[in-house]
Amino acid sequence: MSPSVSTTPLTLASGGFGPLETAGPVLVWTVVLTFVFLECALIIGLFLPGDSMLITAGVVLASQVGEGQVWALSIGTMIAAIAGNQVGYVFGQRAGHHLVARKNGKYINTRNLERVSDMLHKHGFLAVLVARWIPWVRTLCPLVAGAAGMDHRKYTIASSVGAVIWAPVILLASYYAGSFLENMSWLMPAVIGTLVVGLVLGTVLGVRQYRVEMARPAEDFDLDVAEAATVPLPRLPRA
C-alpha cells in the first residue's frame, strides 16, 4: 500500500515552493526574524516588505503549527525589533550630525531624512512610537535619532514599546485570521499562494531597488541645518 500524501493547505498552495513546505516553521522563523531585524537596523530594510512578510508568516503558520509556537515567535520578533533599533541608533550616533543621502533617491533622500528629523524634533517620544507603523520611517528613525543625539534611554523606551505593538500584533492578528481561513479549504490555498508569491516578488524587487538606490551619487545631509529650520524665529517687539 502506497503511503498517503499530505494535502494540507500549505502543501496545495506552495506547489513549486518545495523548500517552504519541507522546512516549515524553521524557515518561517528565519525569514521573520531576519526581515524584522534588517527593517529596524539597516538601510536595506527600507526596501524589504516587512508588514506583508509578517502577514504572510502568520497565515502560513496557521496551517502548520499550534498557538504556542506563534506566541513564541511573537516574542522573538519583539526582541529582533528592539535589537535592530539599537543597532540603527548606534550607526546614526557614530555618523554624527552628518548623514549620507542619495541624490534623487526614492527613499534615501534629503527630503525624507528632513521629514524624520522634523518629526523627532517636534514630537520626540511619540514620533518614535508612530514611526513603527510607517515602513520607510521605521528604518530611518533609529538612524536619525542616533545622529540627532536623542536621549538614549528615552529612545530605548519608546522604540521598545513600539516593538511590542508592531510586529507581534500583526503576526498574531494574521495567525488568528489564518486560523479562521483554515475552515475554508477552498480559500486557504489561494490566500497562502498569493501571499507567498507576493512576498518573494516584493523581496526580489526590493533588493533590486536597493542596488539602484545605492548606485546614485551620495548627498550630504546636515541635521544641524535641518533642526535649525524647524525652530521658529523670535518675534520682534512692536515699535
Side-chain angles (χ1 to χ4, degrees):
M1 184 174 179
S2 60
S4 60
V5 179
S6 173
T7 55
T8 63
L10 180 59
T11 305
L12 296 172
S14 57
F17 299 99
L20 176 64
E21 177 186 344
T22 55
V26 174
L27 179 60
V28 174
W29 272 72
T30 302
V31 172
V32 169
L33 297 182
T34 300
F35 271 49
V36 168
F37 178 82
L38 291 177
E39 258 216 303
C40 299
L42 304 175
I43 289 297
I44 192 174
L46 280 168
F47 305 90
L48 298 177
D51 291 336
S52 59
M53 176 274 303
L54 290 170
I55 293 171
T56 301
V59 175
V60 168
L61 288 178
S63 68
Q64 287 189 310
V65 300
E67 191 174 3
Q69 187 168 153
V70 175
W71 278 91
L73 180 56
S74 297
I75 296 174
T77 59
M78 180 183 66
I79 295 172
I82 293 173
N85 286 331
Q86 293 300 314
V87 171
Y89 182 93
V90 170
F91 280 155
Q93 194 175 44
R94 291 182 177 180
H97 274 218
H98 291 274
L99 296 174
V100 178
R102 296 292 164 178
K103 192 172 184 179
N104 299 320
K106 184 177 181 180
Y107 296 110
I108 317 171
N109 53 54
T110 54
R111 180 171 177 269
N112 281 345
L113 289 173
E114 187 172 352
R115 289 167 68 183
V116 176
S117 175
D118 186 39
M119 283 179 58
L120 290 173
H121 182 76
K122 291 181 178 179
H123 305 291
F125 189 96
L126 181 61
V128 177
L129 289 179
V130 173
R132 182 67 61 181
W133 295 93
I134 309 174
W136 64 271
V137 179
R138 181 162 60 232
T139 303
L140 292 179
C141 183
L143 184 68
V144 175
M150 180 177 182
D151 181 76
H152 189 233
R153 180 174 175 273
K154 182 178 179 181
Y155 168 79
T156 298
I157 294 173
S159 62
S160 298
V161 172
V164 173
I165 62 176
W166 171 59
V169 169
I170 296 178
L171 183 62
L172 289 169
S174 303
Y175 173 80
Y176 289 116
S179 298
F180 175 76
L181 291 174
E182 273 269 71
N183 299 321
M184 306 178 187
S185 58
W186 58 272
L187 181 59
M188 188 65 160
V191 171
I192 292 181
T194 301
L195 289 173
V196 170
V197 171
L199 178 62
V200 172
L201 289 178
T203 302
V204 171
L205 293 175
V207 172
R208 180 179 178 275
Q209 180 60 43
Y210 168 75
R211 295 177 64 182
V212 171
E213 190 99 341
M214 296 307 291
R216 297 180 185 275
E219 185 176 12
D220 186 64
F221 176 76
D222 192 335
L223 273 170
D224 286 326
V225 175
E227 290 175 3
T230 66
V231 179
L233 295 175
R235 292 184 178 182
L236 296 175
R238 295 182 178 181

